[in-house]
Structures are given as C-alpha cells and as structure tokens.
Amino acid sequence: MPEITILKRPREEAVITQRMFFKKTARGKVIKVLRERYLRDDISCGIDGCRACNTTAQTILSRSGDTTHKDFPTGHYILPDTNVFLAQMDLIESNYFTPPIIILQTVMEEVRHRSLPLYSRLKALTTTDERKVWVFYNEFRSETAIVREDDETPNDRNDRGIRKAAEWYNAHLTLAHPPIRGQPKLALPKVVLITDDFANRQKAEREKIPCISVRSYVDGMKNSDQLLDLLSATGSDEVEPTRAVAGRTALYADYLPMSTLVAGVKAGQLHQGHFNANQFNYLEGTVPVPAFTKPVLLMGRENMNRAVQGDVVVVEVFDEREWKAPTDEVIDQEATLKNDDAEDSEEEGDDLMVHEHESKALRAEHAKKAPTEKQPTGRVVGIIKRNWRAYVCHIDSTSLTSSNATSLGLQTVFATPVSRLLPRIRLRTRQAPSLIGNKILVTIDRWEITSRYPEGHFVRTLGKAESKEAEQESLLLEFEVPYRPFGKAILDCLPPEGEQWVVPPKSAAIPEWRDRADLRDLIICSIDPPGCQDIDDALHARRLTNGNIEAGVHIADVSHFVHPETAMDNEAAARGSTVYLVDKRIDMLPALLGTNLCSLRPHVERLAFSVIWEMTVDAEIVDVRFTKSVIASKAAFEYGEAQLRKDDPIRLLNSLAQKLKAKRMAAGALNLASPEVKIHLDSSESSDPVDVEQKALHETNSLVEEFMLLANTSVARKTQESFPQTSVLRRHLPPPPTNFEKLQDILQKRKGLKLDVSSSGALADSLDKCLDPKEPAFNTLVRIMATRCMLSAEYFSSGSVSRDTFGHYGLASPIYTHFTSPIRRYADILVHRQLAAAIGYTPLHPSLHSKMHVERIMEVVNRRHRMAQMAGRASVEFYVGLALKGRNEREKEVTEDAFVIRTFRNGLGVFVSKLGLEGLVMFKRDTQFDAENYTISVPSSDVGRPDVTISVFDKVTVRIEVEKDKNTQRGRVKMTLVNPVDSRAL
C-alpha cells in the first residue's frame, strides 16, 4: 500500500491562500464568504523549450518571441494590462497585429467584470489557431500571487499583480534560455508590459520592467500604417484631441455622478429608460419610462446630451408647463449639416450658424398643438450603460481635406452611419482617400462635452458600397448577427457518423428507443414554404373508432443531439436564432443537424417529440399526450401543393384548423398584418433579384399555424405546471391605450371610423369594420398600422413575473410558449428539455432549475430574436432596392400605387403595398400643413388650378428611383409624387 503524506499548510500562509469577503444576498442578508486559493509552482509559462517549466505542458509561445519590432530586436512578448483590452480590442484582434501575447488571469477576470461582450471576444482570441496567445494563471502561481494591501484599491492591487507577473516573466526567461558553456551569452527576449496608464508605467520603470504605451508600441511595428487607424482615442493618453474639441466651450451639460443618478431614480425624481432616436428628425428622441404612459420627449442636442440609440439613460422631466409635442417636420442630418467641417466644425461662426439652423428647424408651432398631443418632455442627465459598438459607415467625401489617393497624412473626416438613427462620427485616419466608396466599420470611442459629434476609430473595410458581399456582411454586422463559422469544438459535438447517422433498429437496449413511441406507420407529412430544408414540424390526423379524431404535431428532437453545457449548446444560446436573409441563411446549429439529421425529411426515419390530441369533430380537446417518438414522414408538401391535395389527412387537419381558428377569433385573437413580399431571383445559383411581389397566403398556411399554436399552448401548460418557477414561456403584453391614440384620431377624422382598444376582442371586432368599399386594400393597411402600435412579444421565465401577466394579447391565450421550431430557435430547445423532464423522460439539467440563469438566457434570446427579425427585413429592403434599380435600367420610369400613412410639414410618408416598401416624398416649397386633420395642401401642377390637398389614407401614385448619394456613394430609394400632383416641381 503506498504511503500517503498529509502536509498541513502553515498558518502564516493563510493571508495569501485565503480570501474573505462579505456578500449581500437577494433577500438582503449579509453573509461571510471564505475562499481558499491553492498556490502551485508548476504552472507553465507557455514558452517553447523552457527548461524551468514542466516539459510535458503545452506551449504556444515561440522560444525567441517576435523579433520584428524596432525597439525589441532581440525578441519580445507583450503583456497588456486590462485597459488595453477594454479600449483597444479592435487593434488586438486585427490580422496585422501579430506579436505573441501573454494574458494574465488577473486581466481576464477584470475584463469579465467590466464588460462581458469584450470578455467573450477575449476568450475567442485565446482559442484561435491563427494567433499565439497564452493565458497565464498568475493568481495561482506561488511566485506571482499577491494579496491586497491595507488602503490599496482593487485597481491598484490588480496593477501591482500585473507588474509582479511581468517582473517574474523577465526573470524566468533567464531560466528558459540558460547560458551554454563555451558560447557567448545571448541577448534574451523581453516580456513587455503594454499600458496606457502613465502612473503604472512610471512604477514599472522604477521596478526595471520593460514597458511602453500602446501608441508607442504600434509606432515601432513594421506595419504601423495599417494599425494606427485602429487605435481607440479613449485608451491612450497620447492621442491629441482634434482642433474641434481642444480649447472649446462646453456644448453639453456634464452628466450627474452615478450615485446621484441611482438615488434619483430610486426616489422617483429621475427616470431610467432606453434612448430611441427619431428616424425622421435627428434633433428629437424619446425615452419610454414606467412613470408615464407616453415616452419622455427630448428636443434638441442639449437635451439629448450625447445619448446614442440604445443607450440606457437617466432623464429629468420638466415641469408640465414646459411639455411639448413632437415636431411635424422631417429634419435630415445630412442635409442640415452638409457644410460642417470635420476638423473645424466647432469654430464660433459655424457653431452659431448651425445652432441657429437647428433651432429654426425645431421651432414648430407648439402653441397650435392640441393639449392632448403634448407629452412629458425632459433632458438626459446621465448614462447608465452605453450601447456603443462597431457601426457600418461611409466616409463623407466632402469632409476630406485631401483627396489624393496616395496621401498618408492624418485627416479628420466624417463617417456617416448607414442607420439614420445614429449621429455622424468624427474619425482620424490616414487612409481616408482609399476609403471613399467603401463600406467600413467604425467604433465610437468618446463624446466630449465640447464636441458636436462623437469621436471614433476605423476598424476595417467591408468592401465596395453596393456590392452584394459588402452589403450582406454590413447587414449582419449592423444587426449584430453572429456569422462566424462553427469551430472545431462545436463540430466535435456532432455524431461521429456524420451524414451516415440513422435511427438504429428498434431495440429496448438501444438508448435512442428508450421510452419512445414508434409512430413510423402513421401517415405523417410536412407542409412548408418552397425550398425549406430545415423542416422542424410534421403533422398527422386520423379517425378513431369512437368517432373522434386523433391529430398530432411532431417536432424535430433537437435536444437529443444538443446537450446542455456543451460547446454546441453554448454557441446556440449565443446565436439565439437562425437568421433568414433573402439569399442565405445564418444557421443557429451546424448544417448537419439543421438540414439533415434533425430535419423531418420525407421517407427517412427521424427522432421527434410529439404532441398528440384526441379531439371531437368540433375540435374540442378530449385528451393530450406528450411523447418522444420515431417517425417516418410520408411526404413534404409546399403550401401551394398542399392546398391542391384532397387526401383525408390534410382534409381532416384543415377541417379542425378552421374550427380551432374560429374559436381563437371568438376568444378575441387578433388578425393583424405585416407587409410581406417575395423576391424573385434570377436563378437558384444567382442572387440577382429580377422582380418583387406580395406573398400569396394559402389556406394551408393557416392550417399549419393553428396546429403549431395549439401545440405551443398545450406544452406551455404542461411545463408551467411542472416547473412553475423556471418554465420558459412567451407573452405579449396588452399595449397601452395611448399607443393607439393617433391611429384612432386619424381613422375618426379621415374615415369616420372608430377603433375600440378596450380589449383584444373589441380591437379585433373594430378592425373587421375598418372597411372602404372603394379600396379593398384599406383594411390590410389599417391592420399594418395597428400592428405597429403593439408591444413586442417576449420570452420570460415563469417565476420572474406575476401570473396575471402571462397572457398573449395577440393570440388571446392565457399562456403560451415556443416549442415547434427547435432547429431555428434556442428557446424551443430549452422548452424541449423542460417538457422531457415534465413527462419523466430525462431529469432536468440543474441550470434550468435556476431562475437567474433562465432570466439571463431569456434576455439574450429576446435580443437575438429582435435582431434576426430586423436583419431579415433589412435584407428584403436591400433586395427590393436592387430589383428597383434593375427596373429603372430596363424601364423609362417606375411608378407604383401607394397609400399616404403620415403627413409632415414638408413631406409625406407613403407605403407601397406591392413592394412592402415605405418611403418619404419631400417638398422643398412652402406647403399648407394641417396637423389637426392630417392633411397637407400643395400647389397644383397645372397653372391656375387650386392647391391639391392630400391626407392620410389617400391613394397616390409615386415615381420610384434608386439614386446614389454623391458623398457617401450609398444607393437609396427616392420617391416623388406623380398623381395627384407632380412633386418634382415642388
């Protein structure tokens, strides 16, 4: 028997190895936490051939480091501090930035504490095969572990720990490169501390630690020209402010301290919410807050106080006597500020001129506004959380001081974001001439109180504007869609058999068949859109001997392949949803699962999760059961094809679906509408659009929808009953009545129609009565406008909200979830796991017992779901633009019928239903605007004729062109009126 020796740690070591702190629980109880830290001396330095470290340990860093830097010719490794990763991640990630990097455990933990998105990028950097990155666990190595001293701040303690590790590394290199007898002593490589903290550099220099600032380090690199533009202004104490910022008087008020903001919100004196910019007027924004039914209106630059779309802000609401109504004028940022100079835009004369121009633009006749139109008005007094990220932009060519393509001089230029919701960004770059006509990525670094614009830095070029490749990538980046290829760790989670995987022969001893129902003999079919490859669902129906009908929904059993807390599960959770663009799909799961092993393709045995009902012929549910199953679909129909079938299963399903829908509608479900169009591509291999048309809806669309809704509702009841605290559900809150006030007023004044929004049933009934005998499309238009007054549906954890808010307003259902699309929605995978546990098939993973964990996932999934929808719509809009451009080239003039959906003092908002496209028709000449009655009177095209009055809901004819902006080289749709008046003369 081997001898076991127990070594007791000396008491004096406890100060280093133990960490004690106090923690406050959610219920307010204070507890003492004692954590043990085990120190070791065998943690590898990561340098190849190091004789002092364990020779069996993995090494990544080369023996001599990088020898290309002019300041470190004998070789070096860089050891950045935390702020370098927080401020300069774009530089670190660049393919041109290639020195070997040592990342300390201290730095990793501090980045994680400060910014989870940056921590995710940092973790991805440590796993890439293309870069030499080593993570050193300095907190667990005995020579580098430190303890916080008395009166030392956490930041100072971390800085000291980073210097200690850098000092140890340089001493350790003498052991990694021992002298060889008889040979001259070699110059050793250095471990260089990279920091922009001047005080930290001074301390490092006193301790004889090689150190350098980020800018100085980049200046000494051989490819510094490509890298200097990537430097963030916030990270460096050596970056000169532009003349527009230096020495200027403040344009904005300073933000209140965070403690004051938090206390003010808690006391109800201040209000917190997300800032939403106005797409029609860059000088207005709103912040929805719980205290008011209408959002807080922010008017003018000073009151928006440097807030950017999506920022979490704190606002102060003015006295009610100062409340105002939104302006009725389109104020375009590019047109208003077209003469601004990027370098000198804050000069006194320009400042006064622009201020006067903007003030004039905001001087709406508020006194004429009805009191009911006024809403809470205020100003931003602080920022809780910035939403800054990389934005897709174009360089404004008029802001260049030199257009010489070979010029490498540093220029300050304007980058104009693609999104109309964002301000122009001031950018310092040496590549300005070569960036003209390209789409580029720009990150905001700071927004000083003395600058009219935020300052940022160039990240990378996406490609030529209007090229499909650049447009597609920019669209994915703009809506933060993860589109990187699936990594090796994720692909390793797939079945090793790959495409050869099949459902094994039936046997009780085989895990796949455990507790599964064998439904292979049932006549099961799927009904999907044309070209669908990721078939999530299939259906069946058959008559029972007792006269009732058995109907079943069978959903791909994705959770059989995607297990909790694996690399594939983590990636699916991060992606949240498959994103469908016009000509491509960004999958949530690897294609082997999504389009093959999980897809319920015909004539192939597949694993499924089935919901099976026994119903009466009147669609009354007698019984429901849930089971894992094995199915073999007999056919895969497209909607149009299924519509023509008269087989008994489809006829039965359709009969039940009609009755289920009638019951939903009777219960108050809404039949809303959204503009959906179909893009016709040149061929299956080509992505060139040739035409656009409205999507045709078949009866079978409704058939599938009804059974998916029924399955989702049935599953929601089951999982909530089993897991009342953590069940993954989906709800749609009733919209505040104030959301409909404007639509109600327009319908009453323009059509004499009433819209009752007292309940979903009342709204459904009144929408049915919104008819215009002369215009059949009017009802659809009203439904589209009503849809925009709604709140968005959202996922939530059942234990996080009160039971009376579970309901789905649009579906008139007291409880609802998503179960039917696990191939393309991560929420559905979680619901599958919960349902499997509810029926006793598998135990529920511990993470789904944690309310906090489920809430955190729901937050990510909700955001990804919204972004996926927005990306899909933007893709359709881009391809509609391409199709229109092609029509412009083929036809002399493209004209379409449109409805007026909004009137402005200087234009009209119109909706072209055939193209699902909204646009602005602008008037440069003076018009007579009647805000009260939603009309605008414009001069007639015919001399001597009276003015033409146009109002909301009027049908007009518009001319549609795609023109290229001469400054940004961005193509944009331009609309002008043809009838009842030609607006080109206006």
Side-chain angles (χ1 to χ4, degrees):
M1 185 174 179
E3 183 178 340
I4 298 175
T5 304
I6 299 176
L7 299 176
K8 291 188 69 175
R9 177 177 290 139
R11 185 179 294 274
E12 57 269 17
E13 284 189 16
V15 69
I16 297 178
T17 60
Q18 291 182 357
R19 181 183 171 213
M20 184 182 72
F21 59 93
F22 294 92
K23 180 180 178 182
K24 193 173 185 179
T25 67
R27 295 186 177 182
K29 184 179 178 182
V30 177
I31 58 174
K32 182 170 75 172
V33 179
L34 185 67
R35 285 186 180 163
E36 189 79 10
R37 176 168 62 167
Y38 295 93
L39 301 182
R40 301 162 54 177
D41 57 8
D42 61 347
I43 295 176
S44 173
C45 67
I47 298 174
D48 188 35
C50 178
R51 299 184 185 181
C53 291
N54 185 354
T55 54
T56 61
Q58 178 194 14
T59 58
I60 287 179
L61 307 176
S62 65
R63 185 176 174 81
S64 60
D66 181 86
T67 58
T68 62
H69 197 284
K70 69 177 185 180
D71 294 337
F72 309 105
T74 61
H76 74 290
Y77 314 90
I78 65 168
L79 193 152
D81 73 355
T82 305
N83 288 324
V84 172
F85 289 109
L86 291 174
Q88 308 290 359
M89 188 62 83
D90 291 324
L91 170 73
I92 302 292
E93 289 177 326
S94 170
N95 292 331
Y96 295 108
F97 192 81
T98 56
I101 305 174
I102 299 169
I103 303 177
L104 299 180
Q105 175 192 1
T106 301
V107 171
M108 290 282 286
E109 290 177 354
E110 198 172 3
V111 171
R112 182 182 184 184
H113 176 70
R114 299 273 295 276
S115 171
L116 279 176
L118 286 176
Y119 177 70
S120 299
R121 291 168 67 182
L122 184 56
K123 276 188 69 178
L125 190 70
T126 65
T127 58
T128 182
D129 296 330
E130 291 79 28
R131 303 291 294 275
K132 300 298 181 185
V133 179
W134 179 256
V135 179
F136 179 66
Y137 291 87
N138 62 306
E139 299 286 357
F140 296 134
R141 176 104 190 186
S142 55
E143 298 98 320
T144 56
I146 64 166
V147 257
R148 184 176 165 188
E149 297 175 348
D150 293 338
D151 300 325
E152 187 177 40
T153 66
N155 186 62
D156 288 342
R157 181 262 180 207
N158 290 339
D159 285 346
R160 184 164 60 86
I162 292 168
R163 294 196 305 274
K164 177 79 171 176
E167 181 184 29
W168 175 85
Y169 252 108
N170 281 292
H172 186 77
L173 283 172
T174 61
L175 302 177
H177 297 265
I180 301 174
R181 185 178 299 175
Q183 293 187 10
K185 187 176 180 181
L186 296 174
L188 298 178
K190 297 177 180 179
V191 172
V192 183
L193 173 62
I194 307 288
T195 177
D196 278 330
D197 185 334
F198 182 70
N200 198 22
R201 282 206 306 273
Q202 282 187 321
K203 292 176 183 177
E205 287 166 358
R206 286 199 296 267
E207 296 166 11
K208 302 289 192 290
I209 299 170
C211 62
I212 194 171
S213 70
V214 177
R215 176 168 287 274
S216 298
Y217 181 81
V218 172
D219 275 331
M221 297 182 72
K222 61 179 182 181
N223 49 3
S224 60
D225 288 344
Q226 289 95 343
L227 293 170
L228 285 170
D229 280 355
L230 298 179
L231 287 178
S232 164
T234 55
S236 177
D237 51 15
E238 300 174 16
V239 177
E240 295 180 16
T242 61
R243 282 185 287 139
V245 176
R248 290 290 300 158
T249 55
L251 300 173
Y252 305 99
D254 273 320
Y255 295 138
L256 297 178
M258 186 63 72
S259 58
T260 306
L261 297 177
V262 173
V265 171
K266 194 172 182 180
Q269 297 169 344
L270 302 175
H271 306 274
Q272 180 178 319
H274 285 83
F275 174 75
N276 296 314
N278 185 334
Q279 64 172 323
F280 299 112
N281 181 353
Y282 79 100
L283 295 173
E284 274 187 11
T286 55
V287 180
V289 298
F292 300 99
T293 56
K294 289 185 177 182
V296 177
L297 179 65
L298 311 173
M299 302 192 72
R301 285 181 180 277
E302 296 81 4
N303 291 330
M304 291 192 289
N305 198 2
R306 298 167 286 154
V308 173
Q309 174 72 15
D311 285 351
V312 180
V313 303
V314 173
V315 294
E316 174 190 36
V317 176
F318 299 149
D319 186 272
E320 193 167 346
R321 290 171 296 180
E322 298 181 58
W323 289 9
K324 298 179 180 178
T327 56
D328 291 307
E329 188 168 358
V330 178
I331 305 178
D332 182 64
Q333 179 177 216
E334 290 183 37
T336 307
L337 305 175
K338 61 184 178 182
N339 295 322
D340 243 4
D341 187 293
E343 185 66 78
D344 298 314
S345 59
E346 314 297 338
E347 289 299 319
E348 187 171 347
D350 291 339
D351 195 9
L352 291 173
M353 184 175 66
V354 171
H355 182 75
E356 174 60 27
H357 195 94
E358 291 181 342
S359 298
K360 182 181 177 182
L362 277 175
R363 255 183 245 129
E365 299 175 26
H366 297 294
K368 295 182 180 180
K369 293 276 187 177
T372 54
E373 288 188 37
K374 295 186 178 182
Q375 62 192 75
T377 307
R379 65 187 182 102
V380 172
V381 294
I383 305 287
I384 298 294
K385 185 180 179 182
R386 283 292 191 188
N387 189 42
W388 292 351
R389 55 179 176 82
Y391 299 106
V392 181
C393 301
H394 304 262
I395 294 293
D396 184 346
S397 62
T398 60
S399 64
L400 268 68
T401 54
S402 171
S403 57
N404 185 348
T406 60
S407 171
L408 293 177
L410 188 64
Q411 296 190 54
T412 302
V413 297
F414 283 131
T416 304
V418 169
S419 172
R420 294 171 60 91
L421 302 174
L422 298 167
R424 292 200 288 185
I425 301 169
R426 183 182 279 116
L427 184 70
R428 293 167 70 88
T429 176
R430 291 166 175 78
Q431 307 175 57
S434 62
L435 297 179
I436 296 295
N438 287 294
K439 285 205 161 185
I440 62 172
L441 269 188
V442 174
T443 296
I444 295 178
D445 297 327
R446 63 187 178 192
W447 196 341
E448 303 289 353
I449 61 172
T450 55
S451 174
R452 195 180 297 130
Y453 303 100
E455 295 191 54
H457 68 268
F458 167 78
V459 178
R460 64 185 175 94
T461 302
L462 302 176
K464 283 290 181 185
E466 294 193 292
S467 69
K468 280 198 286 290
E469 295 76 15
E471 293 290 347
Q472 290 282 21
E473 187 177 8
S474 69
L475 186 150
L476 296 173
L477 289 165
E478 189 65 25
F479 297 104
E480 301 176 66
V481 176
Y483 62 99
R484 58 189 175 274
F486 292 104
K488 183 178 182 299
I490 297 165
L491 299 177
D492 285 345
C493 298
L494 296 170
E497 301 89 346
E499 293 186 355
Q500 277 65 52
W501 182 91
V502 294
V503 176
K506 186 174 182 179
S507 169
I510 294 177
E512 280 84 352
W513 280 95
R514 181 181 62 83
D515 297 335
R516 282 190 186 270
D518 186 353
L519 306 181
R520 292 176 294 177
D521 292 336
L522 289 179
I523 300 176
I524 294 173
C525 65
S526 60
I527 306 173
D528 290 285
C532 181
Q533 293 178 304
D534 49 349
I535 303 174
D536 285 295
D537 55 84
L539 305 108
H540 90 273
R542 61 178 178 176
R543 296 186 183 277
L544 301 175
T545 54
N546 62 1
N548 288 340
I549 300 171
E550 178 187 271
V553 166
H554 312 276
I555 306 300
D557 190 5
V558 176
S559 60
H560 175 81
F561 298 95
V562 182
H563 302 291
E565 293 191 350
T566 60
M568 184 155 59
D569 183 55
N570 293 337
E571 182 67 16
R575 295 189 178 215
S577 174
T578 292
V579 181
Y580 292 90
L581 307 181
V582 169
D583 67 336
K584 68 187 297 185
R585 186 181 65 241
I586 312 298
D587 291 318
M588 182 183 77
L589 296 171
L592 178 64
L593 291 185
T595 61
N596 192 342
L597 305 189
C598 290
S599 184
L600 305 182
R601 301 189 298 184
H603 315 298
V604 181
E605 293 181 0
R606 287 287 180 253
L607 303 180
F609 211 149
S610 301
V611 183
I612 301 172
W613 302 271
E614 181 182 343
M615 297 182 180
T616 66
V617 291
D618 293 325
E620 296 289 342
I621 297 174
V622 177
D623 187 33
V624 59
R625 65 189 175 100
F626 310 92
T627 179
K628 294 267 188 168
S629 60
V630 177
I631 68 168
S633 175
K634 303 299 185 286
F637 298 119
E638 295 179 359
Y639 287 124
E641 188 181 0
Q643 184 73 28
L644 302 175
R645 303 283 299 200
K646 300 297 180 183
D647 308 70
D648 196 45
I650 292 182
R651 187 164 56 245
L652 269 178
L653 288 166
N654 199 38
S655 171
L656 292 171
Q658 290 173 349
K659 293 166 184 174
L660 289 169
K661 184 173 183 178
K663 290 178 182 179
R664 276 198 314 109
M665 292 301 167
L670 295 172
N671 183 16
L672 299 172
S674 60
E676 290 197 58
V677 296
K678 181 179 180 181
I679 310 289
H680 291 282
L681 301 179
D682 196 15
S683 67
S684 58
E685 293 80 22
S686 167
S687 59
D688 294 325
V690 293
D691 201 6
V692 182
E693 67 174 3
Q694 284 183 295
K695 278 187 178 178
L697 294 179
H698 300 283
E699 201 173 44
T700 45
N701 289 74
S702 181
L703 182 161
V704 175
E705 180 186 10
E706 289 306 319
F707 277 99
M708 297 306 115
L709 293 176
L710 183 61
N712 289 334
T713 305
S714 299
V715 170
R717 291 195 183 98
K718 181 67 176 178
T719 58
Q720 200 276 329
E721 178 186 292
S722 302
F723 306 106
Q725 289 300 306
T726 59
S727 182
V728 174
L729 301 175
R730 186 166 175 82
R731 66 176 180 173
H732 183 206
L733 292 173
T738 52
N739 284 20
F740 287 93
E741 284 179 356
K742 192 155 194 171
L743 180 57
Q744 287 175 306
D745 195 43
I746 295 172
L747 283 168
Q748 176 66 45
K749 289 176 177 175
R750 302 312 317 159
K751 294 290 185 179
L753 298 169
K754 290 187 177 180
L755 200 64
D756 186 350
V757 297
S758 58
S759 68
S760 62
L763 177 58
D765 290 340
S766 54
L767 283 174
D768 289 340
K769 296 172 184 174
C770 288
L771 300 171
D772 183 343
K774 300 176 184 177
E775 188 49 67
F778 171 72
N779 185 259
T780 302
L781 178 66
V782 174
R783 290 181 189 275
I784 290 172
M785 295 173 75
T787 302
R788 296 176 182 182
C789 300
M790 299 287 179
L791 301 176
S792 296
E794 62 180 3
Y795 298 104
F796 68 101
S797 173
S798 56
S800 303
V801 301
S802 62
R803 184 67 177 82
D804 60 351
T805 63
F806 278 20
H808 196 292
Y809 179 81
L811 299 174
S813 175
I815 193 167
Y816 191 68
T817 192
H818 271 166
F819 163 79
T820 53
S821 295
I823 292 177
R824 60 186 179 89
R825 291 190 303 235
Y826 186 70
D828 299 51
I829 295 178
L830 298 182
V831 173
H832 275 232
R833 290 173 184 163
Q834 291 182 332
L835 182 60
I839 64 174
Y841 184 82
T842 56
L844 188 64
H845 190 270
S847 64
L848 289 180
H849 281 297
S850 167
K851 188 165 70 172
M852 188 180 298
H853 176 78
V854 175
E855 286 174 353
R856 192 162 56 245
I857 293 178
M858 293 302 96
E859 186 178 341
V860 173
V861 169
N862 279 322
R863 189 165 186 278
R864 291 297 187 200
H865 188 77
R866 286 194 302 271
M867 289 298 189
Q869 290 179 319
M870 292 163 67
R873 286 195 286 266
S875 177
V876 169
E877 191 175 314
F878 170 65
Y879 272 87
V880 168
L882 285 183
L884 287 172
K885 186 178 179 182
R887 282 182 62 185
N888 279 144
E889 292 169 356
R890 295 191 304 270
E891 304 172 21
K892 183 179 179 181
E893 188 173 82
V894 176
T895 59
E896 295 287 354
D897 289 337
F899 286 98
V900 177
I901 57 174
R902 188 167 179 180
T903 53
F904 296 97
R905 193 174 301 277
N906 57 342
L908 298 170
V910 297
F911 175 67
V912 183
S913 56
K914 181 181 176 182
L915 304 176
L917 191 65
E918 283 186 45
L920 281 173
V921 175
M922 299 296 295
F923 305 127
K924 293 181 181 178
R925 287 173 56 182
D926 289 339
T927 60
Q928 295 179 17
F929 176 64
D930 184 352
E932 192 77 19
N933 293 299
Y934 309 100
T935 65
I936 184 170
S937 297
V938 296
S940 172
S941 305
D942 301 324
V943 180
R945 289 287 186 92
D947 290 353
V948 176
T949 300
I950 304 170
S951 61
V952 173
F953 293 136
D954 281 359
K955 193 171 185 179
V956 297
T957 305
V958 294
R959 181 186 301 105
I960 307 175
E961 304 167 271
V962 179
E963 64 175 16
K964 183 178 285 190
D965 187 285
K966 62 183 180 181
N967 291 333
T968 65
Q969 301 298 303
R970 180 175 65 197
R972 60 181 181 183
V973 174
K974 179 184 177 182
M975 294 189 187
T976 51
L977 278 184
V978 176
N979 186 51
V981 63
D982 192 332
S983 66
R984 285 183 295 188
L986 304 177

